[in-house]
Amino acid sequence: MANVLVTGGAGFIGSHTCVELIAAGHDIIVVDNFSNSKREALLRIEEISGKKLKFVEADILDQYALKMIFDKYRIDAVIHFAGLKAVGESVHMPVEYYHNNITGTLMLIKAMRAHNCKKIVFSSSATVYGVDNPVPYVETMPTHTSTNPYGYTKVMIEQILRDVAVSDPEWSIVLLRYFNPIGAHKSGLLGEDPNGIPNNLFPYIQQVAIGKRDYLGVFGNDYDTHDGTGVRDYIHVMDLARGHLCALDYALSNTGVEAVNLGTGKGSSVLDVLHAFEKACGRKIPYKIMPRRAGDIARCYANTDKAKELFGWQARYGIEEMCADGWNFIQKNPNGL
Ligand code: NAD
Ligand code: UFG
């Protein structure tokens, strides 16, 4: 069992992963600055796991805070979720995105190196496949273009981490390329709780279902897909969380760098998700067809062979469970955490 530093552990994916890490017997320390999360998430992790959580409220840009953490705890590995993630916002605030995500990661790598901690699992994204690669996306495809600054932070951080691995063969680095994580913890205690108007499909549908918003705007129905709406590879956040346990185990016993897709390999359209959610909540979800959203692509889904071969990992849940668990969460937390 390892001592694991979890950056961004109060966030959506981080909080669910903390639950799984604790259940697997790891000793974890969370660092978060709550720029996009709430302290309540940490209490919920404690409630689910029945354990007290080690937590430091700090910004990963703060090198003194990082030094203090690494001095105090003997950390074997880092799972690095902390980052800003809103695609549209990144177009308007590129400097803030590059600084937070890239400088933050550099600060973290420096603190790790200074304390001889050389194992990291990084939250990358399917967005690194850009717009030119054909689906399904395979890890060996070129990844040097994006449509927005957020996506470029992922492309650049992957490159930085690859260069770190080249410079020192003792490093062990796993770049996890997530597809579209949705759903919630079975208990309904944890789930996705975005600030303001949701940018993403699933939290928006949840808010329409609970009556907070009148209808879903469907961004385009003239794509080259089975019903004209955009197709994505939605993955249950608990499957994703379990993927991190596998990646951590791999990093603990291997060196070098590996990029690995975490998806289901199946594509669902906007209307497929909407109808599955209607089934889960037993209500109609009103929608209106709107123009396409800038930067969106028609289809995005994973080839999942590598995760299976390297980690023995495969997604277990389908869109029905994702919707049922998402509905359970929003019913129990209509105003978020
Ligand atoms: P999230 O915003 O819920 O969680 C990120 C957490 O990091 C938040 O708790 C936030 O407060 C914290 N944070 C941000 N900057 C920080 C800083 N400088 N110092 C300390 N804490 C900081 O997002 P999420 O959906 O859980 O995503 C986690 C990671 O996965 C992110 O790196 C994101 O880019 C990546 N990712 C997410 C998705 C997705 O669809 N949710 C898809 C692909 C990749
Ligand atoms: N959509 C709507 N209406 C909405 C929101 C979304 O129709 O109100 C559609 C989009 O056009 C797209 C699909 O729903 O076809 C999914 O959109 P999301 O915004 O939920 O997710 P994206 O695939 O655009 O983006 C997600 C993450 C990014 C990540 C990207 C690639 O939010 O961080 O996947 O992995 F970069």
Side-chain angles (χ1 to χ4, degrees), residues 238-317:
M238 293 308 293
D239 272 330
L240 198 67
R242 195 168 43 81
H244 288 76
L245 258 63
C246 299
L248 175 67
D249 286 346
Y250 181 86
L252 289 170
S253 48
N254 292 275
T255 55
V257 54
E258 294 289 349
V260 183
N261 290 339
L262 291 183
T264 64
K266 292 186 196 75
S268 305
S269 72
V270 174
L271 293 179
D272 291 337
V273 178
L274 180 126
H275 295 316
F277 206 99
E278 287 182 330
K279 235 177 165 174
C281 69
R283 314 179 172 177
K284 274 274 165 220
I285 300 191
Y287 68 89
K288 287 186 191 166
I289 304 298
M290 317 263 276
R292 290 182 177 194
R293 182 172 67 179
D296 274 356
I297 53 176
R299 290 174 298 155
C300 170
Y301 52 91
N303 173 306
T304 58
D305 294 348
K306 188 168 176 186
K308 199 172 169 192
E309 282 158 23
L310 210 63
F311 301 158
W313 175 94
Q314 253 182 313
R316 292 176 183 158
Y317 299 114

Side-chain angles (χ1 to χ4, degrees), residues 85 87 125-127 150 178-180 199-201 204 216-219 230 232 234 270 293 296:
K85 65 162 184 178
V87 172
S125 166
T127 195
Y150 164 74
Y178 312 153
F179 283 69
N180 289 54
N199 297 302
N200 299 111
L201 177 67
Y204 207 104
L216 172 76
V218 174
F219 299 147
R232 297 290 182 273
Y234 296 94
V270 174
R293 182 172 67 179
D296 274 356

Side-chain angles (χ1 to χ4, degrees), residues 12 22 24 54 116 132 140 146 170 191 194 208 235 292 321-322:
F12 172 46
I22 296 169
K54 293 192 193 95
N116 207 33
D132 297 327
T140 47
S146 184
E170 285 181 4
V208 176
I235 172 168
R292 290 182 177 194
E321 283 105 337
M322 302 181 213

